[in-house]
Amino acid sequence: MMIVKTLHFSQTFQKHVSTSRIKTNFFTNIRPRSVLKISNSASISEGGLLVDEFNPKIPVEKASTPPSSWYTNPSFLELELDRVFHRGWQVAGYTEQIKEAGDFFTGRLGNIEYVVCRDNNGELEAFHNVCRHHASLLSFGSGKKTCFTCPYHGWTYGLDGKLLKATRITGIKDFNVNEFGLVPIRVASWGPFILLNLDPEFFSRQDSNGNIGTEWLGSAAEILSANGVNSSLSYLCRREYTIECNWKVFCDNFLDGGYHVPYVHKALTGLNLESYSYSIFEKVSILMSDSHQMERQEDTDRLGSKPLYAFIYPNFMINWQGSWMNTVLVLPLGPRKCQVISDYSFDPSLKDAKEFIENSYKGNGNLQDEDITICEAVQKGLESPAYSSGRYAPMTEEAMHQFHCLVHENLAYEK
């Protein structure tokens, strides 16, 4: 376990115990490793050759950043999908999306299509969104269903994943209905977030203590809970962007400790960056300010007096302003393309403050647009023969260095 490192930051947090519920689905004779085809082994082998071009043992003061091949090579992305995204907890959505029995939403991460739902008993369920007959996707988008019926040949599954009807199979032999339920995915919730663990080995592994907060966030769970990140907020809306850059470019931009703010976000020139400091945990980094001073009162109202910015490895970001929250999920679509999903939530007490909500939403959207422009410019520079690797600014980019070290740790480790 990594040692928690706090940089110029100290605060006593009231102990807060959060609860979560984990649902694991088991079906007779399902052997995930034989059923699931996660990635291309040849591409993974090729990508593995690039891993050691970054040395995580060199301290940030002397280290070079990862080579540009980490951001451009298709084989490297295959390796990341297998060892970073398809292992460990990943944010998939919000509990607000599936509040009632029958509610569902779908998603994709790499080559894994999934569906998350509430079954007839209101229990949280997740499955690979693939019919066991001839592999058609079962559901699309989000909504409400009483069952999942394949649009190809009509095979029907319950919301608990069991096969309910297989059409026109008269004469079939050696067919066991219990072996053809939907392939389950481990699912859990923490606060407003729904999490998936896509590692097939978790299909048959019972959780040891049920504390998903600690399992997902490590020792940072308490600080995030104490600051209200897992509290009940009113979900507002979602924005989605397709960006022409590697997923890590967008993460790097978030993790530069505000280095880019005076140059990219001109509207925030009054931000007191000297009041910010990082706390770095096992797989989470948190940027906070004890005193937030802006030149304009409307910016202070929107950003709050003590904002919190958290990065949860590998691809989830929380912008917490005290009365409202914007989260950002970054999903790889290719070596040079990613999807950014930005969700907005507000404290229920603000439900009638329409002008405040509108201004906050618009202001944050403008910042996102500015980040997109600079990230796409960085990607073009990474593809230039003039660039191989760079250096870190130690005072502001230690969290970025930790992010790169964690990526290297995952990629260098083979089960």
Side-chain angles (χ1 to χ4, degrees):
M1 176 179 292
M2 295 178 62
I3 298 175
V4 177
K5 184 172 184 180
T6 304
L7 305 176
H8 311 296
F9 178 81
S10 62
Q11 186 171 355
T12 302
F13 295 95
Q14 180 180 0
K15 187 174 183 180
H16 180 91
V17 179
S18 61
T19 59
S20 63
R21 183 164 50 83
I22 295 180
K23 178 73 175 178
T24 308
N25 303 281
F26 298 97
F27 293 96
T28 306
N29 295 328
I30 289 183
R31 294 180 174 86
R33 281 295 183 189
S34 63
V35 172
L36 301 182
K37 181 175 59 180
I38 300 297
S39 54
N40 184 292
S41 58
S43 295
I44 287 178
S45 178
E46 180 182 348
L49 297 176
L50 304 174
V51 174
D52 289 333
E53 292 185 17
F54 172 78
N55 188 347
K57 296 181 180 180
I58 299 176
V60 64
E61 295 85 359
K62 298 182 178 181
S64 295
T65 60
S68 57
S69 58
W70 276 34
Y71 298 82
T72 60
N73 189 290
S75 298
F76 195 82
L77 177 60
E78 286 285 339
L79 187 65
E80 289 178 322
L81 288 171
D82 180 65
R83 297 185 185 175
V84 175
F85 289 99
H86 293 166
R87 305 179 187 185
W89 290 107
Q90 308 290 331
V91 174
Y94 280 77
T95 55
E96 188 78 11
Q97 294 174 265
I98 48 171
K99 295 189 295 185
E100 302 174 350
D103 290 346
F104 78 95
F105 67 85
T106 60
R108 177 185 176 93
L109 181 53
N111 65 347
I112 294 182
E113 302 276 355
Y114 60 82
V115 58
V116 181
C117 69
R118 295 277 181 189
D119 66 17
N120 293 329
N121 296 317
E123 293 292 311
L124 191 59
E125 305 273 7
F127 309 96
H128 288 263
N129 185 24
V130 178
C131 180
R132 297 294 304 282
H133 179 222
H134 284 317
S136 172
L137 297 186
L138 286 171
S139 295
F140 303 86
S142 60
K144 199 177 190 70
K145 290 179 179 287
T146 57
C147 60
F148 297 114
T149 300
C150 179
Y152 195 11
H153 296 117
W155 282 37
T156 301
Y157 304 84
L159 299 178
D160 59 359
K162 294 180 180 178
L163 178 61
L164 301 179
K165 181 174 70 172
T167 60
R168 304 185 67 174
I169 60 170
T170 302
I172 194 171
K173 296 181 179 180
D174 301 324
F175 178 77
N176 185 342
V177 66
N178 293 323
E179 295 179 358
F180 280 84
L182 299 180
V183 177
I185 295 173
R186 194 179 185 213
V187 62
S189 63
W190 187 84
F193 309 120
I194 291 177
L195 312 171
L196 298 181
N197 193 314
L198 304 175
D199 189 338
E201 289 194 358
F202 276 111
F203 289 158
S204 58
R205 185 185 304 170
Q206 294 285 356
D207 184 67
S208 58
N209 55 24
N211 191 347
I212 188 62
T214 300
E215 189 175 337
W216 178 40
L217 302 169
S219 54
E222 186 173 345
I223 184 174
L224 294 175
S225 295
N227 280 272
V229 171
N230 67 339
S231 61
S232 297
L233 298 176
S234 297
Y235 185 83
L236 177 65
C237 62
R238 166 173 291 185
R239 276 179 170 174
E240 296 186 6
Y241 310 83
T242 299
I243 306 178
E244 298 296 324
C245 72
N246 184 273
W247 70 277
K248 295 188 297 301
V249 170
F250 199 90
C251 294
D252 288 349
N253 179 70
F254 186 86
L255 289 168
D256 74 357
Y259 197 168
H260 72 282
V261 170
Y263 312 101
V264 177
H265 305 305
K266 302 299 185 182
L268 299 181
T269 53
L271 184 64
N272 181 14
L273 293 174
E274 299 301 321
S275 69
Y276 282 82
S277 55
Y278 263 117
S279 293
I280 298 181
F281 301 85
E282 297 91 348
K283 292 190 176 182
V284 177
S285 60
I286 299 176
L287 182 66
M288 295 183 68
S289 171
D290 287 331
S291 59
H292 195 160
Q293 300 174 356
M294 296 293 298
E295 292 180 349
R296 299 185 303 176
Q297 182 60 41
E298 58 265 34
D299 289 328
T300 299
D301 293 341
R302 179 171 64 82
L303 296 174
S305 60
K306 293 185 178 180
L308 176 151
Y309 305 97
F311 177 81
I312 302 170
Y313 180 81
N315 62 333
F316 190 60
M317 290 149 254
I318 298 174
N319 301 299
W320 171 252
Q321 315 295 351
S323 58
W324 67 279
M325 179 172 66
N326 165 235
T327 62
V328 180
L329 180 67
V330 185
L331 302 174
L333 298 179
R336 301 171 179 85
K337 182 179 291 187
C338 65
Q339 181 184 28
V340 172
I341 301 173
S342 184
D343 288 295
Y344 296 83
S345 303
F346 286 82
D347 189 280
S349 64
L350 296 173
K351 64 179 181 179
D352 296 324
K354 295 182 180 180
E355 183 177 357
F356 172 80
I357 292 176
E358 182 178 348
N359 290 338
S360 299
Y361 176 72
K362 182 179 178 180
N364 195 268
N366 291 338
L367 298 180
Q368 291 276 25
D369 291 340
E370 291 166 349
D371 282 330
I372 289 171
T373 298
I374 197 64
C375 286
E376 291 185 337
V378 168
Q379 183 65 38
K380 291 177 181 178
L382 286 165
E383 295 173 4
S384 167
Y387 184 88
S388 176
S389 63
R391 295 292 301 273
Y392 298 97
M395 294 298 294
T396 65
E397 295 182 325
E398 185 155 354
M400 184 194 300
H401 179 253
Q402 183 210 30
F403 168 57
H404 297 152
C405 290
L406 288 171
V407 172
H408 182 277
E409 180 183 339
N410 279 165
L411 301 185
Y413 174 73
E414 186 171 1
K415 291 185 178 181

